[in-house]
Amino acid sequence: LIHDVKHFGVNNSQLQLEQHAVWQIYDNGSCQERYSMHCGLSIFIEEFPELSREFLQGCPMFLRLVSSAVLATDISSSEVQRKVKEKFEAVMADESDSSKSKCERTEAALEHILLLADVGHCSQKYDTFLRWNRAFYEECFVNYLNERGIDPRNGWYEGQIRFLEKYVMPLATRCESLMHLSCPLTTGVQSILGRWRLEGAEWTEQMIEELWRKKDSTEIICSDG
């Protein structure tokens, strides 16, 4: 519920470039993830005092688990993702290893579950993938028109292939290892990747042309327009 609360619609690097107040406040990395965690937990504690008290008393590791899971969603940070992967491999490699606490295993599992949920459209139906892919492209395009990001038209089709191959597929593979029952996560990613290779270039070209024609209309909302 608190993932991406009050997200600014641009990446952390852009906030750093703009010297945004949130980046200055949370200047030790993952600024929007830390901001959303602070806002979300503040609302939870202030608006639901009895429920939050039950959570905190009943689960002493609640804040640690929530914090680690939300901070893990900074997928633009190679350092964050390296640490998340290393933690997962360390605590999940041998489930019989008693040196690894239950909390460590739970922490690593929750981080991966939230990471997978963040890109869940990449392992579902192809039409679902296209719908969310277009939404993200449009967000990036609006940012570009507002001079708050790079032009997403350059390499969009190829970028999705790299993202699916290098990030989503390994993530889905690790998440499948958490589920002892058969769970077709990687099958879904492979299916989307196969269709995208065949159809994605033409679909991307059509989307780019359509949104470029609409860029001066009210159908694409720009902060200056």
Side-chain angles (χ1 to χ4, degrees), residues 41-66:
L41 288 175
S42 294
I43 293 171
F44 180 52
I45 293 171
E46 292 170 8
E47 299 296 327
F48 304 94
E50 294 183 4
L51 179 61
S52 61
R53 185 164 53 250
E54 289 292 329
F55 266 91
L56 294 173
Q57 291 177 349
C59 180
M61 300 307 298
F62 175 75
L63 292 180
R64 171 180 166 176
L65 294 174
V66 170

PDB file of all heavy atoms in Angstrom, residues 41-66:
ATOM      1  N   LEU A  41       4.070   5.274   6.284  1.00  0.00           N
ATOM      2  CA  LEU A  41       4.060   4.823   7.675  1.00  0.00           C
ATOM      3  C   LEU A  41       3.505   5.898   8.603  1.00  0.00           C
ATOM      4  O   LEU A  41       2.841   5.584   9.599  1.00  0.00           O
ATOM      5  CB  LEU A  41       5.478   4.433   8.104  1.00  0.00           C
ATOM      6  CG  LEU A  41       5.999   3.126   7.498  1.00  0.00           C
ATOM      7  CD1 LEU A  41       7.445   2.901   7.881  1.00  0.00           C
ATOM      8  CD2 LEU A  41       5.141   1.939   7.933  1.00  0.00           C
ATOM      9  N   SER A  42       3.757   7.159   8.269  1.00  0.00           N
ATOM     10  CA  SER A  42       3.205   8.248   9.088  1.00  0.00           C
ATOM     11  C   SER A  42       1.683   8.227   9.048  1.00  0.00           C
ATOM     12  O   SER A  42       1.013   8.383  10.084  1.00  0.00           O
ATOM     13  CB  SER A  42       3.728   9.600   8.591  1.00  0.00           C
ATOM     14  OG  SER A  42       5.122   9.712   8.785  1.00  0.00           O
ATOM     15  N   ILE A  43       1.119   8.044   7.866  1.00  0.00           N
ATOM     16  CA  ILE A  43      -0.340   7.974   7.723  1.00  0.00           C
ATOM     17  C   ILE A  43      -0.888   6.768   8.493  1.00  0.00           C
ATOM     18  O   ILE A  43      -1.899   6.862   9.204  1.00  0.00           O
ATOM     19  CB  ILE A  43      -0.734   7.889   6.242  1.00  0.00           C
ATOM     20  CG1 ILE A  43      -0.381   9.199   5.528  1.00  0.00           C
ATOM     21  CG2 ILE A  43      -2.226   7.579   6.095  1.00  0.00           C
ATOM     22  CD1 ILE A  43      -0.537   9.132   4.017  1.00  0.00           C
ATOM     23  N   PHE A  44      -0.203   5.635   8.348  1.00  0.00           N
ATOM     24  CA  PHE A  44      -0.637   4.409   9.024  1.00  0.00           C
ATOM     25  C   PHE A  44      -0.676   4.597  10.544  1.00  0.00           C
ATOM     26  O   PHE A  44      -1.645   4.237  11.208  1.00  0.00           O
ATOM     27  CB  PHE A  44       0.313   3.272   8.651  1.00  0.00           C
ATOM     28  CG  PHE A  44      -0.006   1.956   9.282  1.00  0.00           C
ATOM     29  CD1 PHE A  44      -1.279   1.396   9.191  1.00  0.00           C
ATOM     30  CD2 PHE A  44       0.976   1.249   9.975  1.00  0.00           C
ATOM     31  CE1 PHE A  44      -1.580   0.174   9.775  1.00  0.00           C
ATOM     32  CE2 PHE A  44       0.688   0.024  10.568  1.00  0.00           C
ATOM     33  CZ  PHE A  44      -0.591  -0.509  10.462  1.00  0.00           C
ATOM     34  N   ILE A  45       0.375   5.203  11.093  1.00  0.00           N
ATOM     35  CA  ILE A  45       0.470   5.379  12.543  1.00  0.00           C
ATOM     36  C   ILE A  45      -0.488   6.453  13.049  1.00  0.00           C
ATOM     37  O   ILE A  45      -1.133   6.291  14.092  1.00  0.00           O
ATOM     38  CB  ILE A  45       1.923   5.716  12.935  1.00  0.00           C
ATOM     39  CG1 ILE A  45       2.823   4.503  12.672  1.00  0.00           C
ATOM     40  CG2 ILE A  45       2.012   6.152  14.391  1.00  0.00           C
ATOM     41  CD1 ILE A  45       4.302   4.783  12.809  1.00  0.00           C
ATOM     42  N   GLU A  46      -0.617   7.551  12.282  1.00  0.00           N
ATOM     43  CA  GLU A  46      -1.452   8.668  12.734  1.00  0.00           C
ATOM     44  C   GLU A  46      -2.946   8.406  12.537  1.00  0.00           C
ATOM     45  O   GLU A  46      -3.767   8.740  13.396  1.00  0.00           O
ATOM     46  CB  GLU A  46      -1.052   9.934  11.982  1.00  0.00           C
ATOM     47  CG  GLU A  46       0.344  10.438  12.343  1.00  0.00           C
ATOM     48  CD  GLU A  46       0.823  11.543  11.418  1.00  0.00           C
ATOM     49  OE1 GLU A  46      -0.005  12.012  10.593  1.00  0.00           O
ATOM     50  OE2 GLU A  46       1.989  11.941  11.499  1.00  0.00           O
ATOM     51  N   GLU A  47      -3.293   7.805  11.396  1.00  0.00           N
ATOM     52  CA  GLU A  47      -4.712   7.613  11.084  1.00  0.00           C
ATOM     53  C   GLU A  47      -5.281   6.312  11.641  1.00  0.00           C
ATOM     54  O   GLU A  47      -6.487   6.186  11.816  1.00  0.00           O
ATOM     55  CB  GLU A  47      -4.911   7.643   9.562  1.00  0.00           C
ATOM     56  CG  GLU A  47      -4.505   8.959   8.897  1.00  0.00           C
ATOM     57  CD  GLU A  47      -5.365  10.118   9.362  1.00  0.00           C
ATOM     58  OE1 GLU A  47      -6.555   9.890   9.648  1.00  0.00           O
ATOM     59  OE2 GLU A  47      -4.833  11.241   9.452  1.00  0.00           O
ATOM     60  N   PHE A  48      -4.415   5.353  11.918  1.00  0.00           N
ATOM     61  CA  PHE A  48      -4.870   4.061  12.429  1.00  0.00           C
ATOM     62  C   PHE A  48      -4.050   3.693  13.669  1.00  0.00           C
ATOM     63  O   PHE A  48      -3.290   2.717  13.664  1.00  0.00           O
ATOM     64  CB  PHE A  48      -4.725   2.979  11.354  1.00  0.00           C
ATOM     65  CG  PHE A  48      -5.440   3.293  10.077  1.00  0.00           C
ATOM     66  CD1 PHE A  48      -4.770   3.905   9.020  1.00  0.00           C
ATOM     67  CD2 PHE A  48      -6.788   3.006   9.932  1.00  0.00           C
ATOM     68  CE1 PHE A  48      -5.421   4.205   7.835  1.00  0.00           C
ATOM     69  CE2 PHE A  48      -7.452   3.299   8.747  1.00  0.00           C
ATOM     70  CZ  PHE A  48      -6.770   3.912   7.700  1.00  0.00           C
ATOM     71  N   PRO A  49      -4.166   4.480  14.741  1.00  0.00           N
ATOM     72  CA  PRO A  49      -3.313   4.284  15.920  1.00  0.00           C
ATOM     73  C   PRO A  49      -3.464   2.912  16.575  1.00  0.00           C
ATOM     74  O   PRO A  49      -2.469   2.308  16.977  1.00  0.00           O
ATOM     75  CB  PRO A  49      -3.750   5.409  16.867  1.00  0.00           C
ATOM     76  CG  PRO A  49      -5.125   5.795  16.399  1.00  0.00           C
ATOM     77  CD  PRO A  49      -5.112   5.597  14.922  1.00  0.00           C
ATOM     78  N   GLU A  50      -4.700   2.424  16.692  1.00  0.00           N
ATOM     79  CA  GLU A  50      -4.904   1.133  17.355  1.00  0.00           C
ATOM     80  C   GLU A  50      -4.355  -0.003  16.500  1.00  0.00           C
ATOM     81  O   GLU A  50      -3.675  -0.906  17.002  1.00  0.00           O
ATOM     82  CB  GLU A  50      -6.380   0.926  17.643  1.00  0.00           C
ATOM     83  CG  GLU A  50      -6.957   1.909  18.664  1.00  0.00           C
ATOM     84  CD  GLU A  50      -8.411   1.627  18.977  1.00  0.00           C
ATOM     85  OE1 GLU A  50      -8.949   0.619  18.456  1.00  0.00           O
ATOM     86  OE2 GLU A  50      -9.015   2.399  19.734  1.00  0.00           O
ATOM     87  N   LEU A  51      -4.651   0.038  15.206  1.00  0.00           N
ATOM     88  CA  LEU A  51      -4.180  -1.016  14.312  1.00  0.00           C
ATOM     89  C   LEU A  51      -2.654  -1.018  14.228  1.00  0.00           C
ATOM     90  O   LEU A  51      -2.018  -2.074  14.297  1.00  0.00           O
ATOM     91  CB  LEU A  51      -4.776  -0.828  12.919  1.00  0.00           C
ATOM     92  CG  LEU A  51      -4.357  -1.860  11.857  1.00  0.00           C
ATOM     93  CD1 LEU A  51      -4.799  -3.255  12.278  1.00  0.00           C
ATOM     94  CD2 LEU A  51      -4.958  -1.495  10.493  1.00  0.00           C
ATOM     95  N   SER A  52      -2.070   0.164  14.077  1.00  0.00           N
ATOM     96  CA  SER A  52      -0.610   0.242  13.975  1.00  0.00           C
ATOM     97  C   SER A  52       0.057  -0.223  15.269  1.00  0.00           C
ATOM     98  O   SER A  52       1.111  -0.867  15.237  1.00  0.00           O
ATOM     99  CB  SER A  52      -0.172   1.667  13.640  1.00  0.00           C
ATOM    100  OG  SER A  52      -0.565   2.585  14.650  1.00  0.00           O
ATOM    101  N   ARG A  53      -0.572   0.069  16.405  1.00  0.00           N
ATOM    102  CA  ARG A  53      -0.020  -0.374  17.687  1.00  0.00           C
ATOM    103  C   ARG A  53      -0.038  -1.898  17.775  1.00  0.00           C
ATOM    104  O   ARG A  53       0.925  -2.511  18.251  1.00  0.00           O
ATOM    105  CB  ARG A  53      -0.808   0.246  18.833  1.00  0.00           C
ATOM    106  CG  ARG A  53      -0.228  -0.072  20.201  1.00  0.00           C
ATOM    107  CD  ARG A  53      -0.785   0.849  21.281  1.00  0.00           C
ATOM    108  NE  ARG A  53      -2.236   0.874  21.299  1.00  0.00           N
ATOM    109  CZ  ARG A  53      -2.973   1.929  20.913  1.00  0.00           C
ATOM    110  NH1 ARG A  53      -2.380   3.041  20.486  1.00  0.00           N
ATOM    111  NH2 ARG A  53      -4.297   1.885  20.960  1.00  0.00           N
ATOM    112  N   GLU A  54      -1.123  -2.509  17.281  1.00  0.00           N
ATOM    113  CA  GLU A  54      -1.203  -3.967  17.274  1.00  0.00           C
ATOM    114  C   GLU A  54      -0.101  -4.562  16.409  1.00  0.00           C
ATOM    115  O   GLU A  54       0.528  -5.564  16.766  1.00  0.00           O
ATOM    116  CB  GLU A  54      -2.575  -4.403  16.754  1.00  0.00           C
ATOM    117  CG  GLU A  54      -3.731  -4.142  17.696  1.00  0.00           C
ATOM    118  CD  GLU A  54      -3.669  -5.012  18.939  1.00  0.00           C
ATOM    119  OE1 GLU A  54      -3.156  -6.149  18.830  1.00  0.00           O
ATOM    120  OE2 GLU A  54      -4.122  -4.564  20.001  1.00  0.00           O
ATOM    121  N   PHE A  55       0.131  -3.952  15.241  1.00  0.00           N
ATOM    122  CA  PHE A  55       1.178  -4.440  14.332  1.00  0.00           C
ATOM    123  C   PHE A  55       2.550  -4.340  14.992  1.00  0.00           C
ATOM    124  O   PHE A  55       3.342  -5.281  14.963  1.00  0.00           O
ATOM    125  CB  PHE A  55       1.167  -3.632  13.037  1.00  0.00           C
ATOM    126  CG  PHE A  55       0.343  -4.250  11.947  1.00  0.00           C
ATOM    127  CD1 PHE A  55      -0.994  -3.920  11.809  1.00  0.00           C
ATOM    128  CD2 PHE A  55       0.899  -5.149  11.053  1.00  0.00           C
ATOM    129  CE1 PHE A  55      -1.769  -4.481  10.806  1.00  0.00           C
ATOM    130  CE2 PHE A  55       0.134  -5.722  10.049  1.00  0.00           C
ATOM    131  CZ  PHE A  55      -1.203  -5.391   9.911  1.00  0.00           C
ATOM    132  N   LEU A  56       2.840  -3.183  15.563  1.00  0.00           N
ATOM    133  CA  LEU A  56       4.166  -2.942  16.123  1.00  0.00           C
ATOM    134  C   LEU A  56       4.430  -3.808  17.359  1.00  0.00           C
ATOM    135  O   LEU A  56       5.565  -4.244  17.583  1.00  0.00           O
ATOM    136  CB  LEU A  56       4.317  -1.458  16.477  1.00  0.00           C
ATOM    137  CG  LEU A  56       4.308  -0.502  15.275  1.00  0.00           C
ATOM    138  CD1 LEU A  56       4.294   0.951  15.744  1.00  0.00           C
ATOM    139  CD2 LEU A  56       5.513  -0.754  14.374  1.00  0.00           C
ATOM    140  N   GLN A  57       3.374  -4.054  18.144  1.00  0.00           N
ATOM    141  CA  GLN A  57       3.546  -4.891  19.336  1.00  0.00           C
ATOM    142  C   GLN A  57       3.580  -6.377  18.965  1.00  0.00           C
ATOM    143  O   GLN A  57       4.339  -7.149  19.545  1.00  0.00           O
ATOM    144  CB  GLN A  57       2.417  -4.629  20.326  1.00  0.00           C
ATOM    145  CG  GLN A  57       2.476  -3.245  20.962  1.00  0.00           C
ATOM    146  CD  GLN A  57       1.298  -2.980  21.889  1.00  0.00           C
ATOM    147  OE1 GLN A  57       0.318  -3.739  21.923  1.00  0.00           O
ATOM    148  NE2 GLN A  57       1.370  -1.881  22.641  1.00  0.00           N
ATOM    149  N   GLY A  58       2.764  -6.747  17.981  1.00  0.00           N
ATOM    150  CA  GLY A  58       2.681  -8.160  17.594  1.00  0.00           C
ATOM    151  C   GLY A  58       3.810  -8.615  16.694  1.00  0.00           C
ATOM    152  O   GLY A  58       4.134  -9.806  16.650  1.00  0.00           O
ATOM    153  N   CYS A  59       4.412  -7.678  15.988  1.00  0.00           N
ATOM    154  CA  CYS A  59       5.509  -8.011  15.069  1.00  0.00           C
ATOM    155  C   CYS A  59       6.626  -6.996  15.267  1.00  0.00           C
ATOM    156  O   CYS A  59       6.667  -5.964  14.585  1.00  0.00           O
ATOM    157  CB  CYS A  59       5.022  -8.006  13.618  1.00  0.00           C
ATOM    158  SG  CYS A  59       6.309  -8.404  12.407  1.00  0.00           S
ATOM    159  N   PRO A  60       7.537  -7.264  16.178  1.00  0.00           N
ATOM    160  CA  PRO A  60       8.615  -6.306  16.468  1.00  0.00           C
ATOM    161  C   PRO A  60       9.469  -5.963  15.256  1.00  0.00           C
ATOM    162  O   PRO A  60      10.084  -4.901  15.221  1.00  0.00           O
ATOM    163  CB  PRO A  60       9.443  -7.045  17.533  1.00  0.00           C
ATOM    164  CG  PRO A  60       8.492  -8.012  18.163  1.00  0.00           C
ATOM    165  CD  PRO A  60       7.585  -8.448  17.049  1.00  0.00           C
ATOM    166  N   MET A  61       9.493  -6.859  14.250  1.00  0.00           N
ATOM    167  CA  MET A  61      10.323  -6.620  13.064  1.00  0.00           C
ATOM    168  C   MET A  61       9.524  -5.943  11.944  1.00  0.00           C
ATOM    169  O   MET A  61      10.014  -5.824  10.821  1.00  0.00           O
ATOM    170  CB  MET A  61      10.896  -7.941  12.554  1.00  0.00           C
ATOM    171  CG  MET A  61      11.769  -8.673  13.565  1.00  0.00           C
ATOM    172  SD  MET A  61      13.084  -7.607  14.222  1.00  0.00           S
ATOM    173  CE  MET A  61      13.991  -7.235  12.732  1.00  0.00           C
ATOM    174  N   PHE A  62       8.308  -5.498  12.253  1.00  0.00           N
ATOM    175  CA  PHE A  62       7.435  -4.938  11.228  1.00  0.00           C
ATOM    176  C   PHE A  62       8.099  -3.787  10.467  1.00  0.00           C
ATOM    177  O   PHE A  62       8.125  -3.771   9.232  1.00  0.00           O
ATOM    178  CB  PHE A  62       6.126  -4.459  11.860  1.00  0.00           C
ATOM    179  CG  PHE A  62       5.194  -3.760  10.905  1.00  0.00           C
ATOM    180  CD1 PHE A  62       4.469  -4.480   9.974  1.00  0.00           C
ATOM    181  CD2 PHE A  62       5.053  -2.374  10.937  1.00  0.00           C
ATOM    182  CE1 PHE A  62       3.614  -3.840   9.092  1.00  0.00           C
ATOM    183  CE2 PHE A  62       4.205  -1.726  10.062  1.00  0.00           C
ATOM    184  CZ  PHE A  62       3.483  -2.462   9.127  1.00  0.00           C
ATOM    185  N   LEU A  63       8.638  -2.806  11.186  1.00  0.00           N
ATOM    186  CA  LEU A  63       9.235  -1.645  10.529  1.00  0.00           C
ATOM    187  C   LEU A  63      10.456  -2.032   9.707  1.00  0.00           C
ATOM    188  O   LEU A  63      10.667  -1.504   8.612  1.00  0.00           O
ATOM    189  CB  LEU A  63       9.597  -0.586  11.572  1.00  0.00           C
ATOM    190  CG  LEU A  63       8.430   0.098  12.274  1.00  0.00           C
ATOM    191  CD1 LEU A  63       8.936   1.123  13.284  1.00  0.00           C
ATOM    192  CD2 LEU A  63       7.516   0.781  11.257  1.00  0.00           C
ATOM    193  N   ARG A  64      11.244  -2.951  10.224  1.00  0.00           N
ATOM    194  CA  ARG A  64      12.423  -3.403   9.474  1.00  0.00           C
ATOM    195  C   ARG A  64      12.006  -4.093   8.185  1.00  0.00           C
ATOM    196  O   ARG A  64      12.591  -3.839   7.124  1.00  0.00           O
ATOM    197  CB  ARG A  64      13.255  -4.354  10.343  1.00  0.00           C
ATOM    198  CG  ARG A  64      14.384  -5.042   9.564  1.00  0.00           C
ATOM    199  CD  ARG A  64      15.191  -5.976  10.430  1.00  0.00           C
ATOM    200  NE  ARG A  64      16.028  -6.843   9.621  1.00  0.00           N
ATOM    201  CZ  ARG A  64      16.901  -7.722  10.121  1.00  0.00           C
ATOM    202  NH1 ARG A  64      17.062  -7.808  11.443  1.00  0.00           N
ATOM    203  NH2 ARG A  64      17.624  -8.487   9.325  1.00  0.00           N
ATOM    204  N   LEU A  65      11.012  -4.952   8.251  1.00  0.00           N
ATOM    205  CA  LEU A  65      10.567  -5.690   7.066  1.00  0.00           C
ATOM    206  C   LEU A  65       9.964  -4.757   6.024  1.00  0.00           C
ATOM    207  O   LEU A  65      10.252  -4.876   4.827  1.00  0.00           O
ATOM    208  CB  LEU A  65       9.556  -6.761   7.471  1.00  0.00           C
ATOM    209  CG  LEU A  65      10.093  -7.895   8.339  1.00  0.00           C
ATOM    210  CD1 LEU A  65       8.960  -8.798   8.794  1.00  0.00           C
ATOM    211  CD2 LEU A  65      11.147  -8.698   7.592  1.00  0.00           C
ATOM    212  N   VAL A  66       9.139  -3.824   6.474  1.00  0.00           N
ATOM    213  CA  VAL A  66       8.524  -2.869   5.551  1.00  0.00           C
ATOM    214  C   VAL A  66       9.593  -1.986   4.921  1.00  0.00           C
ATOM    215  O   VAL A  66       9.596  -1.758   3.706  1.00  0.00           O
ATOM    216  CB  VAL A  66       7.471  -2.009   6.268  1.00  0.00           C
ATOM    217  CG1 VAL A  66       7.011  -0.866   5.372  1.00  0.00           C
ATOM    218  CG2 VAL A  66       6.269  -2.862   6.672  1.00  0.00           C
TER     219      VAL A  66
END
